Amino acid sequence: MIASDSDELENGYPSGKVNLSTNMLAHGGLQGISCLAAELGKTELAHSLKE
């Protein structure tokens, strides 16, 4: 989880210690990189990115 002291609306809503939007973007990026690595035959890297 990526720590953040505010939400995407600049403290419009209480968000605790993490920002859901930022974390979902990071998660989606890692999934995309994992798929690309698998297509390039880098199965070990693809597997490690999914964990």
Side-chain angles (χ1 to χ4, degrees):
M1 296 301 269
I2 300 170
S4 176
D5 61 355
S6 67
D7 62 5
E8 51 276 345
L9 298 173
E10 297 301 324
N11 294 318
Y13 298 99
S15 62
K17 297 182 187 244
V18 297
N19 182 307
L20 180 59
S21 178
T22 301
N23 281 286
M24 292 308 296
L25 288 171
H27 180 72
L30 288 171
Q31 283 184 322
I33 293 170
S34 175
C35 291
L36 178 60
E39 288 293 320
L40 294 173
K42 302 192 179 282
T43 54
E44 187 175 322
L45 175 60
H47 181 70
S48 69
L49 289 168
K50 286 185 178 182
E51 293 180 351

